[in-house]
Amino acid sequence: QVLLTESGGGLVQAGGSLRLSCAASGRTFSTLTMGWFRQAPGKEREFVGAISWRSGGSTSYADSVKGRFTISRDNAQNTVSLQMNSLKPEDTAVYYCAGDVRRGIFSGTYYTPSQFHYWGPGTQVTVSS
């Protein structure tokens, strides 16, 4: 079993930045591919980005956040982070951290929620215009 807990959400003005973190416990973190998803009111949960469990940590991002968001991981601290810059009102959503064991991540690939087994409770991000 894997326990994931997000932190760092909040209210920010458009054009601002926010950094989300996700702490993992219960399994060797280095074997977990980690992803970020988000869900806005009335919409389906959508892929934001992911980072591979493999050394070197290949990443993939949704087109809507590419160039603005960056995922990184710290295996020594069992954490994964999502740095969000140049935020837009349409980035407003609940952001979820997700994990899956040894899932391959390929740049430019869009991943679905069903491809990740472990989930955090989510953290709210609100971007005001």
Side-chain angles (χ1 to χ4, degrees), residues 12-32:
V12 63
Q13 289 189 333
S17 298
L18 210 56
R19 186 178 181 88
L20 305 183
S21 292
C22 174
S25 63
R27 187 185 176 95
T28 303
F29 183 70
S30 60
T31 67
L32 292 174

Side-chain angles (χ1 to χ4, degrees), residues 37-40 43-47 94 96 110 113 119-120:
F37 290 77
R38 66 187 182 186
Q39 188 166 18
K43 295 188 177 181
E44 293 187 351
R45 193 168 298 188
E46 66 175 7
F47 175 69
V94 177
Y96 297 91
Y110 184 94
W119 291 87

